[in-house]
Amino acid sequence: MELDRKIGHGYWQLNRLDPDITSYSGRCSYNQNIDLSSYINQEHFILRYIVSGAIKINVKGVQSYSAPQGKISLHHVQAGETINLFYPKDMTCSFVALYLSKSYMEKLCLLLPHENQKKLRMLLDQRFGLEGHEIELSAFDRSQIFQIQNLSASGELKRFAIKSKVRELLSHWLMNFTQCPEPDSTLLATVHNTEKFQKVFDLLKTHYISPPPTKEISRLIGLNQTTLRRGFRATYGKSISSHCLEKRMNRACELLLSKRMNISQISDDLGYAHSTNFTSAFKKYFGVLPKDFRAKDTV
């Protein structure tokens, strides 16, 4: 369904795949601040995969939370609650949200090894189980999301295809609980070092296109290069270079969806020497060319 042009531009689609799974996906930008309110009749869980933009969630009288871009967030929704979703004006948001029944989430939990079941159940018991520890979207996740958003099929065939992609996303999400290494406790033992890694993270918010050399960052925060590399990866689950690449690719998506710049201009904006370098990097990261990504946009 396309948005009313008075409100913004873009589309969203809701697909009830079976009694336990509903997918909600969209790619949109609003001309005004949008605040959507809904009353919850049944307890369930929501896995939000946000490619670009950020969604502010308010559980009336309970808690507020901002689901960040480029990450997977988990929301435990209780019956009888009123939920408000806030979308800021002019922000382009691209996402897939999976609504899972309580019984289905329990079935997923039982697929894990015993030690991982306990870890997942602890997350499920919380309102926002991944808050502060959201899982980064992988290239695989982004590829599946792109395919869900741009399937050319219709009717039952489309529903079957989306369900297949959703199951792959869920399988990949569960694998995070069995394959991801635990953080190195020797690096995270003190608040002092944790704060230093946060300083690096903050620095890269504005210097991700051309980040300072590791040697220079080490000098700035007072840690040797080995501790910096290991500590950053242990804290954020990725290397500094991977983090910078992710931010560049997220920014590329935003610029492509906004349609204010051509691909050559986007390449320049993101610091690539040639547009072919940008095109190759984008294709390697998302599995699709920038022009095809933009062409698939229905806005």
Side-chain angles (χ1 to χ4, degrees), residues 111-124:
L111 295 174
L112 295 170
H114 180 72
E115 63 272 16
N116 297 111
Q117 289 184 30
K118 182 178 180 181
K119 177 182 176 182
L120 180 55
R121 286 198 172 95
M122 288 176 62
L123 297 178
L124 297 179

Side-chain angles (χ1 to χ4, degrees), residues 97-111:
L98 305 180
Y99 294 72
L100 310 172
S101 70
K102 183 178 180 180
S103 60
Y104 186 78
M105 186 61 85
E106 177 59 28
K107 291 176 183 178
L108 292 180
C109 193
L110 292 174
L111 295 174

Side-chain angles (χ1 to χ4, degrees), residues 16-43:
R16 185 169 175 79
L17 305 177
D18 61 36
D20 291 311
I21 309 173
T22 297
S23 74
Y24 172 44
S25 64
R27 190 185 297 154
C28 45
S29 179
Y30 295 100
N31 300 329
Q32 59 195 43
N33 291 334
I34 299 295
D35 196 347
L36 304 177
S37 180
S38 60
Y39 179 79
I40 306 302
N41 292 312
Q42 187 174 12
E43 180 182 8

Side-chain angles (χ1 to χ4, degrees), residues 50-68:
I50 302 181
V51 177
S52 63
I55 302 174
K56 295 182 180 179
I57 305 163
N58 179 54
V59 183
K60 190 174 182 180
V62 181
Q63 187 177 354
S64 295
Y65 170 72
S66 291

